């Protein structure tokens, strides 16, 4: 089921985000923006404790490590298969989401801690 909410104010967006379990970032692998832009939404998803599911673009894998699900194909069947796994093993994927959130908090709260992202 997909519901389009239209343009939202920040509070409405945060309310919806807080009611979600999974955040998708699905830019085409190898596409024109795959390595030249960073999908900042993954930071919002991770901060909110959502499971980040992203195609293998930019530095998402480097930033989240094992704290996200990285899709290695531009294929809707790959996405559907992964979503089915998430539904079947909710606890396992909840732990992955928590790990991703902890990794972001660690990076953001440690003075002098940096990660090198490709630009």
């Amino acid at each position: 089921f997909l519901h389009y909410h239209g343009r939202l104010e920040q509070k409405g967006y945060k309310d919806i985000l807080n009611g979600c379990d999974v955040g998708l970032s699905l830019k085409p692998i190898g596409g024109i923006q795959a390595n030249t832009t960073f999908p900042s939404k993954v930071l919002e998803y991770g901060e909110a404790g959502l499971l980040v599911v992203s195609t293998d673009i930019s530095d998402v894998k480097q930033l989240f490590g094992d704290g996200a699900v990285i899709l290695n194909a531009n294929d809707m069947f790959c996405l559907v298969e992964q979503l089915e796994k998430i539904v079947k093993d909710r606890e396992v994927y909840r732990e992955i989401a928590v790990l991703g959130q902890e990794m972001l908090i660690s990076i953001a709260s440690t003075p002098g801690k940096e990660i090198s992202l490709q630009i």
Side-chain angles (χ1 to χ4, degrees), residues 46-95:
E47 177 188 28
L50 275 63
L51 174 65
V52 172
V53 176
S54 175
T55 45
D56 190 6
I57 56 167
S58 190
D59 296 305
V60 176
K61 187 180 346 184
Q62 180 184 354
L63 181 63
F64 282 89
D66 293 331
V69 173
I70 306 297
L71 303 174
N72 295 309
N74 294 323
D75 182 323
M76 72 172 184
F77 297 108
C78 176
L79 174 61
V80 169
E81 182 179 297
Q82 185 59 61
L83 292 174
E84 288 174 344
K85 288 179 185 178
I86 292 167
V87 170
K88 288 179 185 174
D89 293 321
R90 291 173 192 232
E91 287 305 313
V92 169
Y93 287 96
R94 182 75 210 123
E95 290 173 15

Coordinates of all heavy atoms in Angstrom, one line a residue, residues 46-95:
G46 N 18.2 6.9 9.3 CA 19.0 6.2 10.3 C 18.8 6.9 11.7 O 18.7 6.2 12.7
E47 N 18.8 8.2 11.7 CA 18.6 9.0 12.9 C 17.3 8.6 13.6 O 17.2 8.5 14.8 CB 18.7 10.5 12.7 CG 18.4 11.3 13.9 CD 18.3 12.8 13.6 OE1 17.9 13.1 12.4 OE2 18.6 13.6 14.5
A48 N 16.3 8.4 12.8 CA 14.9 8.1 13.3 C 14.8 6.6 13.7 O 13.8 6.2 14.2 CB 13.9 8.4 12.3
G49 N 15.9 5.8 13.5 CA 15.8 4.4 13.8 C 15.2 3.5 12.8 O 14.9 2.3 13.1
L50 N 15.0 4.0 11.6 CA 14.5 3.2 10.6 C 15.5 2.3 10.0 O 16.7 2.6 10.0 CB 13.9 4.0 9.4 CG 12.5 4.6 9.5 CD1 12.4 5.5 10.7 CD2 12.1 5.3 8.2
L51 N 15.1 1.1 9.5 CA 16.0 0.3 8.7 C 16.3 1.0 7.4 O 15.3 1.2 6.6 CB 15.4 -1.1 8.5 CG 16.2 -2.0 7.6 CD1 17.6 -2.4 8.2 CD2 15.4 -3.3 7.3
V52 N 17.5 1.3 7.1 CA 17.9 1.9 5.8 C 18.0 0.8 4.7 O 18.8 -0.1 4.9 CB 19.1 2.7 5.9 CG1 19.6 3.2 4.5 CG2 18.9 3.9 6.9
V53 N 17.3 0.9 3.7 CA 17.4 0.0 2.5 C 17.8 0.9 1.3 O 17.0 1.8 1.0 CB 16.1 -0.8 2.2 CG1 16.3 -1.6 0.9 CG2 15.7 -1.6 3.4
S54 N 19.0 0.7 0.8 CA 19.5 1.6 -0.2 C 20.2 0.8 -1.3 O 20.8 -0.3 -1.1 CB 20.6 2.5 0.4 OG 21.2 3.3 -0.6
T55 N 20.1 1.3 -2.5 CA 20.9 0.7 -3.6 C 22.4 1.1 -3.3 O 22.7 2.0 -2.5 CB 20.5 1.3 -4.9 OG1 20.3 2.7 -4.8 CG2 19.2 0.7 -5.5
D56 N 23.3 0.3 -3.9 CA 24.7 0.5 -3.6 C 25.2 1.7 -4.3 O 25.8 1.6 -5.4 CB 25.5 -0.7 -4.0 CG 26.9 -0.7 -3.5 OD1 27.3 0.2 -2.8 OD2 27.7 -1.6 -3.9
I57 N 25.0 2.9 -3.7 CA 25.3 4.2 -4.3 C 26.2 5.0 -3.4 O 26.1 4.8 -2.1 CB 24.1 5.0 -4.8 CG1 23.2 5.2 -3.6 CG2 23.4 4.3 -6.0 CD1 22.1 6.2 -3.9
S58 N 26.9 5.9 -3.9 CA 27.6 6.9 -3.1 C 28.4 6.1 -2.0 O 29.0 5.1 -2.2 CB 26.7 8.0 -2.6 OG 27.4 9.0 -2.0
D59 N 28.3 6.7 -0.8 CA 29.1 6.1 0.4 C 28.1 5.6 1.4 O 28.5 5.5 2.6 CB 29.9 7.2 1.0 CG 31.0 7.7 0.0 OD1 31.8 6.8 -0.4 OD2 31.1 8.9 -0.3
V60 N 26.9 5.2 1.1 CA 26.0 4.7 2.0 C 26.5 3.4 2.7 O 26.5 3.3 4.0 CB 24.6 4.4 1.4 CG1 23.7 3.7 2.4 CG2 24.0 5.6 0.8
K61 N 27.1 2.5 2.0 CA 27.6 1.3 2.6 C 28.8 1.6 3.5 O 28.9 1.0 4.6 CB 28.1 0.3 1.5 CG 28.5 -1.0 2.0 CD 29.0 -2.0 1.0 CE 28.7 -1.8 -0.5 NZ 29.2 -2.9 -1.3
Q62 N 29.6 2.5 3.1 CA 30.8 2.9 4.0 C 30.3 3.5 5.3 O 30.8 3.3 6.4 CB 31.7 3.9 3.2 CG 32.9 4.3 4.1 CD 33.8 5.3 3.4 OE1 33.5 5.6 2.2 NE2 34.8 5.8 4.0
L63 N 29.3 4.4 5.2 CA 28.8 5.1 6.4 C 28.1 4.1 7.3 O 28.3 4.2 8.5 CB 27.8 6.2 5.9 CG 27.2 7.0 7.1 CD1 28.3 7.8 7.8 CD2 26.2 8.0 6.5
F64 N 27.2 3.3 6.8 CA 26.4 2.4 7.7 C 27.0 1.0 8.0 O 26.6 0.4 8.9 CB 25.0 2.2 7.0 CG 24.1 3.4 7.2 CD1 24.1 4.4 6.3 CD2 23.2 3.4 8.3 CE1 23.2 5.5 6.4 CE2 22.4 4.5 8.5 CZ 22.4 5.5 7.5
G65 N 27.9 0.6 7.1 CA 28.5 -0.7 7.3 C 27.4 -1.8 7.3 O 26.6 -1.9 6.4
D66 N 27.4 -2.6 8.4 CA 26.4 -3.6 8.5 C 25.1 -3.1 9.1 O 24.2 -3.9 9.4 CB 26.9 -4.8 9.4 CG 28.1 -5.5 8.8 OD1 28.1 -5.6 7.5 OD2 28.9 -6.0 9.5
G67 N 25.0 -1.8 9.3 CA 23.8 -1.2 9.9 C 22.7 -0.8 8.8 O 21.9 0.1 9.1
A68 N 22.8 -1.3 7.6 CA 21.8 -1.0 6.6 C 21.8 -2.2 5.6 O 22.6 -3.1 5.6 CB 22.2 0.2 5.8
V69 N 20.7 -2.2 4.8 CA 20.6 -3.2 3.8 C 20.9 -2.6 2.5 O 20.3 -1.6 2.1 CB 19.1 -3.8 3.7 CG1 19.0 -4.7 2.5 CG2 18.8 -4.5 5.0
I70 N 21.9 -3.1 1.8 CA 22.4 -2.6 0.5 C 22.0 -3.5 -0.6 O 22.3 -4.7 -0.6 CB 23.9 -2.4 0.6 CG1 24.4 -1.5 1.8 CG2 24.4 -1.8 -0.8 CD1 23.8 -0.1 1.8
L71 N 21.3 -2.9 -1.5 CA 20.8 -3.7 -2.7 C 21.9 -3.6 -3.8 O 22.4 -2.5 -4.1 CB 19.5 -3.2 -3.2 CG 18.4 -3.1 -2.2 CD1 17.1 -2.5 -2.8 CD2 18.0 -4.6 -1.8
N72 N 22.3 -4.7 -4.4 CA 23.3 -4.7 -5.4 C 22.9 -4.7 -6.8 O 23.7 -5.0 -7.7 CB 24.3 -5.8 -5.1 CG 25.0 -5.6 -3.8 OD1 25.6 -4.6 -3.5 ND2 24.9 -6.6 -2.9
A73 N 21.6 -4.5 -7.1 CA 21.0 -4.6 -8.4 C 19.9 -3.6 -8.6 O 19.2 -3.2 -7.6 CB 20.5 -6.0 -8.7
N74 N 19.8 -3.1 -9.8 CA 18.7 -2.2 -10.2 C 17.5 -3.0 -10.6 O 17.2 -3.0 -11.8 CB 19.1 -1.2 -11.3 CG 20.2 -0.3 -10.9 OD1 20.2 0.2 -9.8 ND2 21.1 0.0 -11.8
D75 N 17.0 -3.8 -9.7 CA 16.0 -4.8 -10.1 C 14.9 -4.8 -9.1 O 15.1 -5.0 -7.9 CB 16.7 -6.1 -10.1 CG 15.8 -7.3 -10.6 OD1 14.7 -7.3 -10.2 OD2 16.4 -8.2 -11.2
M76 N 13.6 -4.6 -9.6 CA 12.5 -4.6 -8.6 C 12.3 -5.9 -7.9 O 11.9 -5.9 -6.8 CB 11.2 -4.1 -9.3 CG 10.6 -5.2 -10.2 SD 9.0 -4.6 -10.7 CE 8.5 -6.0 -11.7
F77 N 12.7 -7.0 -8.5 CA 12.6 -8.3 -7.9 C 13.5 -8.4 -6.7 O 13.2 -9.0 -5.7 CB 12.8 -9.4 -8.9 CG 11.7 -9.4 -10.0 CD1 12.0 -9.0 -11.3 CD2 10.4 -9.7 -9.7 CE1 11.1 -9.0 -12.3 CE2 9.4 -9.7 -10.7 CZ 9.8 -9.3 -12.0
C78 N 14.7 -7.8 -6.9 CA 15.7 -7.8 -5.8 C 15.1 -7.0 -4.6 O 15.2 -7.5 -3.4 CB 17.0 -7.2 -6.3 SG 18.3 -6.9 -5.0
L79 N 14.5 -5.9 -4.9 CA 13.8 -5.1 -3.8 C 12.7 -5.9 -3.1 O 12.6 -6.0 -1.9 CB 13.3 -3.8 -4.4 CG 12.5 -2.9 -3.4 CD1 13.3 -2.5 -2.2 CD2 12.0 -1.7 -4.1
V80 N 11.8 -6.5 -3.9 CA 10.7 -7.2 -3.4 C 11.2 -8.4 -2.5 O 10.7 -8.6 -1.4 CB 9.8 -7.7 -4.5 CG1 8.7 -8.7 -4.0 CG2 9.1 -6.5 -5.2
E81 N 12.2 -9.1 -3.0 CA 12.7 -10.2 -2.3 C 13.3 -9.8 -0.9 O 13.1 -10.4 0.1 CB 13.8 -10.9 -3.1 CG 14.5 -12.1 -2.4 CD 15.5 -12.7 -3.3 OE1 15.2 -13.2 -4.4 OE2 16.7 -12.7 -2.9
Q82 N 14.0 -8.6 -0.9 CA 14.6 -8.1 0.3 C 13.5 -7.7 1.3 O 13.5 -7.9 2.5 CB 15.5 -6.9 0.0 CG 16.2 -6.4 1.2 CD 17.0 -7.5 1.9 OE1 18.0 -8.0 1.3 NE2 16.7 -7.8 3.2
L83 N 12.4 -7.0 0.8 CA 11.3 -6.6 1.6 C 10.6 -7.8 2.3 O 10.2 -7.8 3.4 CB 10.3 -5.7 0.9 CG 10.9 -4.3 0.5 CD1 9.9 -3.6 -0.4 CD2 11.2 -3.5 1.7
E84 N 10.5 -8.9 1.5 CA 9.9 -10.1 2.0 C 10.8 -10.7 3.2 O 10.2 -11.1 4.2 CB 9.7 -11.2 0.9 CG 8.6 -10.8 0.0 CD 8.5 -11.8 -1.2 OE1 9.5 -12.5 -1.5 OE2 7.5 -11.8 -1.9
K85 N 12.1 -10.6 3.0 CA 13.0 -11.1 4.0 C 12.8 -10.3 5.3 O 12.8 -10.8 6.4 CB 14.4 -11.0 3.6 CG 14.8 -12.1 2.6 CD 16.3 -11.9 2.1 CE 16.7 -12.8 1.0 NZ 18.1 -12.6 0.6
I86 N 12.7 -9.0 5.1 CA 12.6 -8.1 6.3 C 11.3 -8.4 7.0 O 11.3 -8.5 8.3 CB 12.6 -6.6 5.8 CG1 14.0 -6.2 5.3 CG2 12.1 -5.6 6.9 CD1 14.0 -4.9 4.5
V87 N 10.2 -8.6 6.3 CA 8.9 -9.0 7.0 C 9.0 -10.3 7.7 O 8.5 -10.4 8.8 CB 7.8 -9.0 6.0 CG1 6.5 -9.6 6.6 CG2 7.5 -7.6 5.4
K88 N 9.7 -11.3 7.1 CA 9.8 -12.6 7.7 C 10.7 -12.6 9.0 O 10.5 -13.4 9.9 CB 10.3 -13.6 6.7 CG 9.3 -14.0 5.7 CD 9.9 -15.0 4.7 CE 8.9 -15.2 3.5 NZ 9.4 -16.0 2.5
D89 N 11.8 -11.8 8.9 CA 12.8 -11.8 10.0 C 12.8 -10.4 10.7 O 13.9 -9.8 10.8 CB 14.2 -12.2 9.5 CG 14.2 -13.6 9.0 OD1 13.6 -14.5 9.7 OD2 14.9 -13.9 8.0
R90 N 11.7 -9.9 11.1 CA 11.6 -8.6 11.7 C 12.6 -8.3 12.8 O 13.2 -7.2 12.8 CB 10.2 -8.3 12.2 CG 9.2 -8.2 11.1 CD 7.8 -8.1 11.7 NE 6.8 -8.3 10.6 CZ 5.8 -7.5 10.4 NH1 5.7 -6.4 11.1 NH2 5.0 -7.8 9.4
E91 N 12.9 -9.2 13.7 CA 13.8 -9.0 14.8 C 15.2 -8.8 14.3 O 15.9 -8.0 14.8 CB 13.7 -10.1 15.8 CG 12.4 -10.0 16.6 CD 12.2 -8.7 17.3 OE1 13.2 -8.2 18.0 OE2 11.1 -8.1 17.2
V92 N 15.6 -9.6 13.4 CA 17.0 -9.5 12.8 C 17.2 -8.2 12.2 O 18.2 -7.5 12.4 CB 17.2 -10.7 11.8 CG1 18.5 -10.4 11.0 CG2 17.3 -12.0 12.4
Y93 N 16.2 -7.7 11.4 CA 16.3 -6.5 10.7 C 16.1 -5.3 11.6 O 16.7 -4.2 11.4 CB 15.4 -6.4 9.5 CG 15.9 -7.3 8.4 CD1 15.5 -8.6 8.2 CD2 16.9 -6.9 7.5 CE1 16.0 -9.4 7.2 CE2 17.5 -7.7 6.5 CZ 17.0 -9.0 6.4 OH 17.5 -9.8 5.4
R94 N 15.4 -5.5 12.7 CA 15.3 -4.4 13.7 C 16.7 -4.2 14.4 O 17.1 -3.1 14.6 CB 14.3 -4.8 14.8 CG 14.1 -3.8 15.8 CD 13.2 -2.7 15.3 NE 13.6 -1.4 16.0 CZ 14.0 -0.3 15.4 NH1 14.1 -0.2 14.1 NH2 14.4 0.7 16.1
E95 N 17.4 -5.3 14.6 CA 18.8 -5.2 15.1 C 19.7 -4.4 14.2 O 20.6 -3.7 14.6 CB 19.3 -6.5 15.5 CG 18.6 -7.2 16.7 CD 19.1 -8.6 16.9 OE1 20.1 -9.0 16.3 OE2 18.4 -9.3 17.7

